[in-house]
Amino acid sequence: MAPARAQIRARLDNHRPGPQAGETEDTVPAELTPDPTHEHRAARARDRRPSTDVDQAPQAPSTGPSIAPSTATSPAGRVSAGQPRKSRSIDAFDNPPRSTQVWKPTGVRRQEVLKALGIFQRATADQLWRMLRPADRHDRITRDTLNALKGSGLVRVETRLESGHQLWVLTEKGHKEAKLLLPKTVRISALRKPEYDDEGRPVQADGYDEHAAAVTSTAAVLTGAGYGTPLSWQTEIAHRLPYGYTQYADLTMRAPDAGVPAMLLEVDRVTEPVDDLVAKLRRYTDWFELLAPKADANKEKAARRQGAAVHDFRLWSRIYPATGREGYVPVAFVFTGRTAAQRASRIERLEQAARAYFAGTPHRGESYTAVDYHQAVPVVVTELERITADPAGAAGKVWRRLGRDEWQTLSEALDNPDGDRLYAVQLREARRRQAEREAAHREAQRPVCTRCGNKFTDDRWQETTRSSWSGERNRLCGPCAKEAADRAEAERVARRQAEEAERAAAEAPAVKPRSRFGIGRRR
């Protein structure tokens, strides 16, 4: 496979124009070749110091990945080179008149386009520009790259849309090369074969509908905002359910560097019934709850009470990466078309009808307002019109989490400030209050000395609790009990001494009286 990829790159590079007379390969820039016959014009252009917003190709080939995410830029100020412009100064034009600069697509850009068309099947130059090179000021290089690939027989124009944009697809030859360029983990889209009339003449296809255009545009604006690369996307990924239905996602996105390890996207042109959108959420929930192969159903059932632990037994965790947040893989609905009021009404109806799938479960107890989202589907919504109107594009506050009122960035919308973090805070607070109540109750039960009126210490209370006696002594505090014990001991000692003296007196022998001379009196 590696030699085949090397051959493809060599073929792509061989299509690049060679050096002009008097030049060497080392002196030819990667994408920008001055016209040697107009060197004096180039010198005047350098002296004139054109505006820095003139988009020029880099002086060396890119060293990044084959389809590299460019830095997200504002949609404002970037227009299609094929669209009419307002009158302005010569230096401000993206394509200055009398320019001596010749744009030449590089092998890297050719591979980018082939890979993108391999994933999305059909796209316009405008969409590819916004997806692959959002930092470019215009789509001229992208159009030149497509034309170069067309000359090589790798791509073709399938049709021209009503907007005037040409719709590009891979040829059979380009499809094979794109398949070799794409990683094995990325599914290549089906080949669009050309159509012919009865006389064998090619006809323009009309199968590209507005929904397909909206899907590609969604991927383009999100990629341009820094959410992954074109290789982060997959289209029409199947989620098979045990009852015979397969739920296909319009787009699947993986952008871990942007804080979104995985997300499923559904694009709606406000044409489907809201009930159909709710049914999609129901089927996604059913799929997320499928057990993984050889998973223990009893352990999975027990793990449902342990938050995220339940996902280790589910099928989705074997296919998608961990989300880094509570809940299943997020689902995004991208609405476009009709009026803003119709789109807003649709979002409101979807929010009301699908609450059971995204709302989560409140934790038990009056002390908790936190929500358990571990077995809920995070659902966010946006609008293509809102994204294109925002200066920050898809990176701005153009997303709304169902169940919330404010528009947020995507990371903010996917975050759960009222989930586990809030629950941990409220749990600590609840435990603190419980400990205070228990301490107050214990203090109310603490015994009081019947002699001095002082409360028992913990040690004295524990001592009386362990004691089997129930006399007066157990109702005395420590000092009073000691005093009573000492007094009782003194009384016992005195009583014992008195008893011993009495006993000694009783046991002593009787003494006979004696005469004056020590001789006992005789009878």
Side-chain angles (χ1 to χ4, degrees):
M1 183 62 68
R5 295 179 187 271
Q7 293 174 4
I8 292 173
R9 294 190 180 95
R11 286 200 298 272
L12 291 172
D13 292 336
N14 287 337
H15 291 303
R16 296 168 53 187
Q20 302 293 333
E23 297 177 344
T24 63
E25 284 289 344
D26 294 337
T27 61
V28 179
E31 300 182 27
L32 183 59
T33 306
D35 188 346
T37 63
H38 298 84
E39 290 184 358
H40 61 286
R41 296 183 181 178
R44 287 202 304 269
R46 286 193 298 270
D47 294 339
R48 190 168 61 244
R49 302 180 66 85
S51 172
T52 56
D53 67 348
V54 175
D55 184 22
Q56 296 185 358
Q59 296 298 314
S62 171
T63 58
S66 55
I67 295 185
S70 301
T71 303
T73 58
S74 170
R78 296 190 294 115
V79 298
S80 173
Q83 296 177 356
R85 297 176 175 272
K86 295 182 179 180
S87 176
R88 51 179 175 168
S89 64
I90 291 178
D91 288 347
F93 271 87
D94 295 326
N95 299 322
R98 300 191 305 274
S99 174
T100 62
Q101 299 169 352
V102 181
W103 298 94
K104 292 183 179 179
T106 63
V108 172
R109 288 184 180 259
R110 295 168 191 258
Q111 293 177 24
E112 289 178 353
V113 171
L114 287 177
K115 291 179 180 181
L117 288 177
I119 295 174
F120 293 97
Q121 191 181 68
R122 297 168 289 182
T124 65
D126 180 82
Q127 291 170 335
L128 292 172
W129 158 50
R130 298 179 187 277
M131 181 186 303
L132 303 176
R133 298 284 177 160
D136 289 352
R137 290 277 295 167
H138 51 71
D139 65 348
R140 175 176 173 179
I141 308 179
T142 303
R143 290 187 289 108
D144 290 347
T145 303
L146 287 166
N147 286 323
L149 291 172
K150 179 182 178 182
S152 305
L154 299 175
V155 301
R156 63 181 179 86
V157 177
E158 184 176 57
T159 187
R160 183 178 290 274
L161 304 178
E162 294 182 0
S163 61
H165 293 89
Q166 290 180 320
L167 188 66
W168 295 85
V169 297
L170 294 173
T171 62
E172 185 172 357
K173 176 182 176 182
H175 192 269
K176 292 179 180 178
E177 296 202 0
K179 187 174 183 179
L180 294 176
L181 290 172
L182 287 171
K184 292 182 179 180
T185 55
V186 177
R187 184 179 66 87
I188 191 169
S189 60
L191 172 65
R192 294 283 298 180
K193 295 183 178 180
E195 300 179 0
Y196 301 93
D197 59 15
D198 295 338
E199 298 180 1
R201 293 174 298 188
V203 297
Q204 288 190 344
D206 58 357
Y208 190 70
D209 57 15
E210 295 296 335
H211 179 267
V215 169
T216 307
S217 295
T218 298
V221 296
L222 264 72
T223 306
Y227 290 105
T229 71
L231 292 182
S232 305
W233 297 94
Q234 301 236 24
T235 59
E236 295 297 326
I237 297 300
H239 301 83
R240 294 181 176 84
L241 293 162
Y243 44 80
Y245 193 92
T246 300
Q247 177 64 51
Y248 290 91
D250 288 337
L251 287 169
T252 59
M253 181 185 77
R254 301 194 184 200
D257 292 342
V260 188
M263 188 167 71
L264 309 178
L265 291 97
E266 294 290 337
V267 180
D268 178 46
R269 288 190 50 79
V270 197
T271 55
E272 296 183 72
V274 173
D275 290 344
D276 289 355
L277 304 183
V278 176
K280 288 182 180 181
L281 285 178
R282 174 180 56 80
R283 289 190 288 266
Y284 278 129
T285 301
D286 291 345
W287 188 81
F288 288 136
E289 292 178 352
L290 292 179
L291 287 177
K294 299 181 180 180
D296 191 323
N298 292 327
K299 292 182 178 179
E300 185 268 348
K301 186 176 181 180
R304 294 180 189 179
R305 298 187 295 272
Q306 303 174 20
V310 68
H311 300 312
D312 294 337
F313 301 93
R314 301 282 176 82
L315 174 64
W316 75 266
S317 63
R318 308 292 197 273
I319 298 174
Y320 292 106
T323 64
R325 302 177 177 90
E326 305 99 301
Y328 301 131
V329 178
V331 176
F333 285 95
V334 182
F335 297 100
T336 183
R338 302 291 179 88
T339 66
Q342 287 174 311
R343 295 192 299 270
S345 174
R346 193 170 187 79
I347 292 173
E348 182 180 355
R349 286 185 288 140
L350 174 63
E351 185 174 26
Q352 293 174 353
R355 188 171 297 276
Y357 304 108
F358 67 77
T361 306
H363 288 278
R364 294 181 179 179
E366 297 180 355
S367 302
Y368 301 103
T369 60
V371 180
D372 182 0
Y373 289 111
H374 285 288
Q375 297 187 73
V377 181
V379 181
V380 295
V381 296
T382 188
E383 303 166 279
L384 273 181
E385 292 79 2
R386 183 182 293 270
I387 291 176
T388 55
D390 193 287
K397 294 183 179 294
V398 295
W399 303 86
R400 186 164 82 81
R401 174 81 168 263
L402 292 189
R404 303 176 189 170
D405 297 329
E406 67 275 14
W407 291 89
Q408 303 172 302
T409 63
L410 183 56
S411 296
E412 292 171 343
L414 294 178
D415 196 15
N416 297 308
D418 59 339
D420 281 357
R421 294 199 304 273
L422 179 61
Y423 178 66
V425 172
Q426 292 180 340
L427 181 60
R428 288 196 299 270
E429 182 64 19
R431 288 176 175 174
R432 184 187 64 79
R433 290 196 299 268
Q434 179 65 22
E436 290 178 352
R437 287 194 297 269
E438 291 178 355
H441 177 74
R442 175 181 174 82
E443 195 63 26
Q445 301 298 319
R446 185 181 296 273
V448 177
C449 179
T450 57
R451 177 173 296 178
C452 66
N454 292 330
K455 291 185 177 181
F456 282 23
T457 62
D458 290 340
D459 292 340
R460 176 58 180 163
W461 192 1
Q462 187 175 9
E463 181 183 351
T464 58
T465 303
R466 291 197 304 262
S467 175
S468 59
W469 295 354
S470 58
E472 178 65 22
R473 184 179 175 183
N474 277 353
R475 292 191 287 272
L476 300 177
C477 65
C480 293
K482 185 176 183 306
E483 181 182 349
D486 292 344
R487 185 168 55 253
E489 179 66 14
E491 293 176 354
R492 186 180 65 79
V493 171
R495 187 169 53 255
R496 185 176 66 248
Q497 291 176 349
E499 291 175 354
E500 288 179 354
E502 183 179 354
R503 184 168 54 252
E507 292 177 354
V511 178
K512 296 181 179 181
R514 303 179 68 87
S515 65
R516 178 177 181 183
F517 297 101
I519 301 174
R521 185 181 296 176
R522 294 183 179 178
R523 293 183 179 178

